[in-house]
Amino acid sequence: MTSPTADPTTDALDPVRSELLRAAHADADALLAHAEREAAARLDQARAEARAILEDARRQGEADGADAARDRFVRARREARSRTLAARREPYEQLCREAAERVRELRRADGYVALRERLEQRARVLLGPGAEVAESADGGVVAQVPGRRVDLSLTALADRALDSMGAEVRSLWEP
């Protein structure tokens, strides 16, 4: 058997081929290194953006939480104020009912006729001698002239007396 003889052109291209392969490997290695650096840089950038997004979300969550807490606090204060006012209103309304009941009892008292006459005189002083005066269903009188009216009923007088006492009356049930 004869051994294949080496082709002189192939042997002459071996160094060129080797150099081209070496250059191709070097270019590939350089491209790969560049791609890895670029991927690492993009990954670092993505991580930084993710941290920034998370930090923004955390700050927004804290702000939203603070807003929600403030809203709950305001609602709780309003509710507490409403309950306090309701608790204060109850005894005041009870006092008004009892006062109205007691003044209505004056109609059965011995001096009621004289009291009614004094109330009628007061109505005429306030509205003039031509005032139309009528007895109120609650006792006392109601008087009127065109365009004006005076309520001197016993319950209206009791209500005005309680209103004029203002802070004194409230101090009965406030700490």
Side-chain angles (χ1 to χ4, degrees):
M1 274 219 195
T2 64
S3 71
T5 61
D7 181 5
T9 56
T10 304
D11 289 339
L13 290 178
D14 276 343
V16 173
R17 193 175 315 129
S18 290
E19 183 55 30
L20 286 174
L21 276 173
R22 187 201 60 72
H25 282 289
D27 286 348
D29 288 344
L31 280 172
L32 185 58
H34 177 70
E36 286 174 354
R37 283 191 307 274
E38 194 172 306
R42 286 187 181 182
L43 188 57
D44 288 343
Q45 182 181 3
R47 285 181 180 141
E49 288 176 9
R51 281 191 300 275
I53 289 169
L54 286 173
E55 183 60 25
D56 285 347
R58 184 192 59 76
R59 278 195 300 269
Q60 185 62 45
E62 286 175 356
D64 290 348
D67 289 347
R70 186 176 45 254
D71 290 347
R72 288 184 80 188
F73 178 72
V74 167
R75 281 193 304 273
R77 279 185 35 178
R78 284 182 187 150
E79 178 67 23
R81 178 78 175 139
S82 175
R83 288 181 184 190
T84 300
L85 291 175
R88 289 178 181 170
R89 186 175 48 247
E90 242 178 78
Y92 179 76
E93 289 174 353
Q94 179 64 31
L95 178 64
C96 289
R97 284 189 299 272
E98 288 178 20
E101 197 173 301
R102 295 257 170 101
V103 295
R104 281 192 296 267
E105 290 174 5
L106 288 174
R107 289 184 297 177
R108 292 188 293 274
D110 291 336
Y112 177 69
V113 172
L115 174 63
R116 188 190 178 288
E117 288 173 1
R118 284 196 317 270
L119 291 173
E120 186 173 336
Q121 288 172 354
R122 179 70 182 149
R124 291 191 192 284
V125 167
L126 292 171
L127 296 178
E132 183 181 314
V133 180
E135 183 154 5
S136 170
D138 291 336
V141 297
V142 177
Q144 62 186 17
V145 294
R148 293 179 55 206
R149 182 176 188 275
V150 172
D151 185 354
L152 296 176
S153 65
L154 296 179
T155 54
L157 292 171
D159 287 345
R160 283 197 289 270
L162 287 174
D163 285 345
S164 70
M165 294 174 71
E168 286 180 58
V169 171
R170 282 192 300 275
S171 70
L172 296 174
W173 55 83
E174 288 181 354

